[in-house]
Amino acid sequence: MNKTVNVLSVSGGKDSAAMWIYATKELGVEVLPVFADTGHEHQLTYEYLNYLEQQLGPIKRVKADFTKRIAKRRQYVQEHWPEKLVSSGMSESNAREVVQRALAVLHPTGIPFLDLCLWKGRFPSTKARFCTQFLKVEVIQEQVYEPLLIEGCDIISWQGVRAEESLARANLPEREDGEGFSVYRPLISWTAEEVFEMHRRHRIEPNPLYKLGMGRVGCMPCINCNKGELFEIARRFPKEIARVAEWEQLVGMAAKRGAATFFFSPDGAGSWSNIHGVVEWSKTTHGGRQLDLVKAIEFEDVPACSSAYGLCE
Ligand code: SF4
């Protein structure tokens, strides 16, 4: 009989942590926790993963490598961009400059999220959400599932999604067959309160970011981040905003049009020039036309502890 391996995706967020606690402490199931590192997480999440390892056991950490894809992109830029740029109306000398500018930054940095964007010449967006596929799904498939399948194991993929998170998730079944493995979603009918209760019952802390006003934990920021979350990130973690601003410069150099922004404007008008512009928008009200004075004061006056889930005493 084939050995069954319960692969549990750990993100550093509350749901996957609760699922791991539930599997280990309440069901007594042996699991293989896997973390796909995007290189775009908050330092507190990396520290929290170390804490979870001390409490629950080792995590297999994997990350995507874009070295070969970036090398191919360099070759493509060298061979095809000059002609394409000139045929679009650019002068030959300007085309040479654009090519040199892109080649200057088309080198792998070892930071998966940044390397993905350099390779693509753009950031992912809510409409072109390729980050999950390349940074998580593909890398777990290649580095975890495929070796297990070669060994002849049966895989059950434990996914910590909940119906109340979104309409799409509300329609997911608790169990289904995937490609070469089966899927189990033990938390599908759980509430956020039950997730935190699972932590409390076994005296395991949730990620400290929840007490710092974050509604979700993942990339910092995530492309799906809303106005309120961005406001909270910007006032608490200006270093993350500065890092994204640096990435916008680099990815912009790798882009044919010479610019790239982390967020796209919701009306598609391209009115935000960069992350700093979007942060200024997060302080506004009335569709971004007026500066909200209360929010402007709150931006400077950051409380030590606040939680969207009522975790603060
Ligand atoms: S957390 Fe957000 S930005 Fe990060 S991979 Fe997932 S969707 Fe993309």
Side-chain angles (χ1 to χ4, degrees):
M1 202 169 121
N2 289 350
K3 183 182 171 199
T4 299
V5 180
N6 294 285
V7 180
L8 189 147
S9 284
V10 176
S11 66
K14 65 186 188 314
D15 296 323
S16 57
M19 181 170 64
W20 189 5
I21 299 167
Y22 175 61
T24 307
K25 301 271 189 189
E26 302 214 346
L27 301 180
V29 171
E30 195 183 323
V31 293
L32 173 61
V34 174
F35 169 64
D37 187 0
T38 65
H40 184 34
E41 324 277 336
H42 194 280
Q43 184 55 31
L44 286 175
T45 294
Y46 291 115
E47 289 167 17
Y48 181 66
L49 289 166
N50 295 340
Y51 162 79
L52 278 185
E53 279 191 313
Q54 286 163 10
Q55 300 296 318
L56 295 167
I59 297 173
K60 182 172 177 62
R61 294 161 196 248
V62 293
K63 63 179 190 174
D65 180 356
F66 292 91
T67 307
K68 286 187 187 151
R69 284 166 164 155
I70 289 177
K72 273 194 176 170
R73 177 78 174 166
R74 284 183 66 82
Q75 195 180 349
Y76 183 84
V77 167
Q78 274 170 320
E79 289 175 5
H80 300 283
W81 274 23
E83 192 188 327
K84 282 180 184 287
L85 290 165
V86 170
S87 64
S88 71
M90 192 179 277
S91 70
E92 281 189 15
S93 64
N94 283 352
R96 269 196 300 277
E97 263 179 45
V98 171
V99 169
Q100 290 311 314
R101 185 192 64 208
L103 293 177
V105 292
L106 274 173
H107 298 284
T109 64
I111 302 169
F113 196 102
L114 176 57
D115 286 348
L116 169 66
C117 301
L118 288 170
W119 168 52
K120 289 269 185 190
R122 60 167 291 181
F123 288 91
S125 70
T126 49
K127 284 188 183 153
R129 200 181 135 171
F130 50 79
C131 43
T132 314
Q133 179 62 29
F134 285 108
L135 299 174
K136 297 189 176 183
V137 177
E138 194 180 85
V139 71
I140 290 177
Q141 179 74 31
E142 288 175 3
Q143 296 184 30
V144 181
Y145 287 7
E146 283 174 14
L148 288 173
L149 290 171
I150 289 168
E151 279 178 39
C153 299
D154 290 334
I155 299 171
I156 302 176
S157 169
W158 289 49
Q159 299 176 0
V161 294
R162 294 181 299 108
E164 69 173 18
E165 291 177 288
S166 70
L167 206 57
R169 292 187 170 186
N171 292 322
L172 291 172
E174 189 181 60
R175 288 181 187 270
E176 69 179 318
D177 287 330
E179 285 179 29
F181 57 89
S182 60
V183 175
Y184 178 39
R185 304 182 181 97
L187 274 54
I188 196 73
S189 60
W190 290 28
T191 62
E193 176 48 33
E194 286 174 300
V195 163
F196 287 115
E197 177 53 29
M198 183 59 63
H199 289 74
R200 275 192 293 273
R201 193 149 68 233
H202 296 282
R203 294 191 173 79
I204 292 179
E205 290 294 324
N207 189 315
L209 287 170
Y210 292 113
K211 287 188 177 172
L212 297 174
M214 299 299 110
R216 70 180 123 195
V217 167
C219 290
M220 182 63 70
C222 170
I223 52 162
N224 297 316
C225 170
N226 65 32
K227 195 176 183 182
E229 286 169 335
L230 183 65
F231 176 83
E232 207 58 57
I233 290 170
R235 71 174 178 157
R236 287 183 183 276
F237 310 123
K239 265 193 197 165
E240 306 299 329
I241 300 298
R243 173 174 54 77
V244 170
E246 274 177 35
W247 288 9
E248 284 183 328
Q249 296 282 330
L250 294 171
V251 177
M253 287 172 72
K256 209 189 275 174
R257 70 186 179 99
T261 54
F262 189 89
F263 290 109
F264 291 76
S265 69
D267 58 3
S271 47
W272 295 328
S273 53
N274 55 32
I275 185 82
H276 295 302
V278 190
V279 168
E280 287 308 306
W281 167 80
S282 77
K283 301 177 199 169
T284 63
T285 185
H286 292 111
R289 290 190 297 279
Q290 282 177 21
L291 182 67
D292 183 328
L293 286 179
V294 175
K295 288 192 100 181
I297 293 166
E298 283 175 354
F299 193 86
E300 303 299 333
D301 187 13
V302 185
C305 185
S306 63
S307 163
Y309 298 100
L311 298 177
C312 301
E313 291 171 338

